[in-house]
Amino acid sequence: MRPLIAGNWKMNGVVASLAQVSTVASRIADEAPPADVLICPPFTLLANAVATSAGRIAIGGQDCHALPSGAFTGDISAEMLADAGASAVIVGHSERRQQHGESDAMVAAKVRAAWRAELLPILCVGETEVEHDGGYAADVVTAQLDGSLPTGASALTIVVAYEPIWAIGSGRTPTADQIARMHALIRAWLETALGREGSDVRVLYGGSVRPANARAILALPNVNGVLVGGASLVAQDFLEIARSVPSGR
Ligand code: PGA
């Protein structure tokens, strides 16, 4: 299974930031790490990022609407992302779930929208700090998978990202054991839901991934890549994370 190193720029980046895309794309083309590399810039930079990367890395969106078009001021459809040259889209990020009130059902509809537009959806799940401290993390993540991953997924058509909300942007990461246990739980869920295909779905870890901890996280069982926020804004840091993929995975 080829790991995926994905960068989520969130609401950061202006035209000048395309230099970061250019640096990452050319280094990745030269170094050819054993991983797929994806950058998800804000919508305003998407088409330019696609042109700048020239196919050397993948470019994705950070969200999409469930419908292909219509009277939805400010929204962007999966078809529009594909039209701009995106090949993937993040759906169900905790910042969307929390700040935009996205339910599991809405996230499931966005996964289906991504499929309709032939984009690879990266479905985010993860518990809050209160849920974590209360010992409910497994229940929360299982419920999110039940509610937001529609039937019909295969190893090539879904990526799951486990992002404990308390680890996002906080500089705190779960212990190696906590990450491994949650990824094993997600793997077991996927194998129950998808059968053999579930063994080959990539499950990413996200939340305060940095060059200093990427190698250890990427070496854990059932961790098939990372979803990187803050550290993806600095080309050298993001490249260092891409270089942390163990060879032969
Ligand atoms: P972070 O964000 O790497 O800045 O913690 C991760 C994410 O939200 O995808």
Side-chain angles (χ1 to χ4, degrees):
M1 194 186 318
R2 195 168 161 84
L4 174 61
I5 307 299
N8 172 11
W9 282 15
K10 308 190 180 184
M11 198 171 73
N12 296 290
V14 291
V15 171
S17 317
L18 292 167
Q20 305 282 329
V21 175
S22 174
T23 302
V24 170
S26 62
R27 296 310 308 153
I28 292 296
D30 286 352
E31 297 174 22
D36 294 333
V37 175
L38 167 73
I39 290 180
C40 299
F43 295 134
T44 48
L45 296 180
L46 202 66
N48 272 339
V50 169
T52 302
S53 65
R56 294 170 295 181
I57 60 170
I59 301 295
Q62 298 175 12
D63 179 47
C64 65
H65 195 277
L67 296 177
S69 62
F72 302 104
T73 302
D75 278 317
I76 308 271
S77 71
E79 281 77 0
M80 290 170 170
L81 295 176
D83 182 56
S87 57
V89 59
I90 298 168
V91 293
H93 190 282
S94 58
E95 287 153 16
R96 301 293 314 178
R97 291 178 185 264
Q98 291 191 324
Q99 297 165 23
H100 297 265
E102 293 190 6
S103 64
D104 284 335
M106 289 165 72
V107 175
K110 292 180 179 207
V111 172
R112 284 191 292 266
W115 289 342
R116 193 182 60 225
E118 297 184 4
L119 298 177
L120 175 66
I122 301 173
L123 168 64
C124 301
V125 295
E127 80 285 357
T128 64
E129 182 158 31
V130 170
E131 290 160 348
H132 173 75
D133 292 349
Y136 308 124
D139 292 344
V140 168
V141 168
T142 301
Q144 287 175 335
L145 289 168
D146 285 341
S148 51
L149 182 52
T151 54
S154 72
L156 291 178
T157 61
I158 194 76
V159 170
V160 174
Y162 169 57
E163 298 207 304
I165 295 169
W166 49 277
I168 294 176
S170 67
R172 293 166 58 204
T173 51
T175 64
D177 189 53
Q178 286 172 331
I179 296 175
R181 270 191 285 129
M182 187 58 83
H183 279 243
L185 178 138
I186 294 170
R187 176 72 60 212
W189 188 96
L190 289 167
E191 287 173 346
T192 303
L194 309 182
R196 288 176 57 107
E197 283 287 316
S199 312
D200 293 330
V201 171
R202 289 180 287 188
V203 183
L204 314 186
Y205 168 78
S208 295
V209 175
R210 304 276 181 269
N213 61 20
R215 194 169 296 276
I217 291 171
L218 284 162
L220 293 171
N222 291 307
V223 174
N224 315 113
V226 284
L227 179 53
V228 186
S232 73
L233 296 172
V234 180
Q236 294 308 330
D237 287 354
F238 190 55
L239 283 165
E240 207 47 48
I241 291 168
R243 294 182 188 117
S244 304
V245 174
S247 50
R249 287 194 92 194

